[in-house]
Amino acid sequence: MQYPQIEIVPDVFSIFPDLQVFALLVNGYDDAICHIDIEAVHPVPADMSLAMGVGPLSELPIISSWREVYRTMGLKPSVYHASVESLLRRAKKGWGLWQTGLKHVDFYNGFSIRCYAPIGGYDMDKVRSGSIRVRMLDPKKDIFSPLGGQPEAFPLKPDIAVYAVENDIACWAFNHRDSRDYCLTETTRQAIFFSEANTIMQAAASLAAIGAMRSNLSSLRAVCSPCIRYSRQHPCGECVTS
């Protein structure tokens, strides 16, 4: 399988020097999801024990450290926060509320809850350039078509880190909101998943989430790449699993 060109550009590390991004490329995602028993891979309420044992989720170090990232981007964390916090908030309100009913989305969101790590998934057949860059937003050139929201709700400011396909934003503010132009669908054949980390604790969670997804998808005969880590030392990636 041909791996896409993915890179974290240097200006991101000037603001987030400890950033690590973990990636997994999957061929045959649509077929695997058709055959998966989604309930068997979903998290169980016990996976929420850490979140249920605190009052505000901001008391959890793995969440509070993400909130610092959003403050650094000039965003109010009570309004804009990591995707994993959004999922955990819904699950705390009612266990089934985190589920969308879409297997191709609930599959990776389940691992996000289980491992307390943000995960985003994108359709590589829609990335015609074959290249994705993690960089700071360019307000003069970038455009964003948010999934399930209005563009004006997502300010285009230079302090915000994005996943970009040329000048299209595939995901805004690390993992806060995906673009409807690159999101996964039930017919996505080739998917790529990302999980970001800015602390040692977050990195362990991201690696666990990507590894568990890889194991489950491989068992359904999807063709999975090794887990690739992108960091300041390896901005164009290094294999961390065989």
Side-chain angles (χ1 to χ4, degrees), residues 30-43:
D30 52 348
D31 189 57
I33 291 300
C34 278
H35 293 92
I36 202 166
D37 179 356
I38 197 71
E39 295 300 327
V41 299
H42 270 176

Side-chain angles (χ1 to χ4, degrees), residues 2 10 37 39 49 56-58 67 69 75-76 79 85 97-98 119 146 151 165 167 172 187 199 207 218 227 230:
Q2 184 175 1
D37 179 356
E39 295 300 327
S49 59
L57 283 171
S58 57
R67 286 184 158 232
V69 168
L75 299 170
K76 191 174 181 181
V79 178
E85 180 176 347
L97 294 180
W98 68 270
I119 302 173
V165 179
N167 287 111
W172 181 89
T187 61
T199 67
L207 185 57
S218 296
C227 176
Y230 301 83

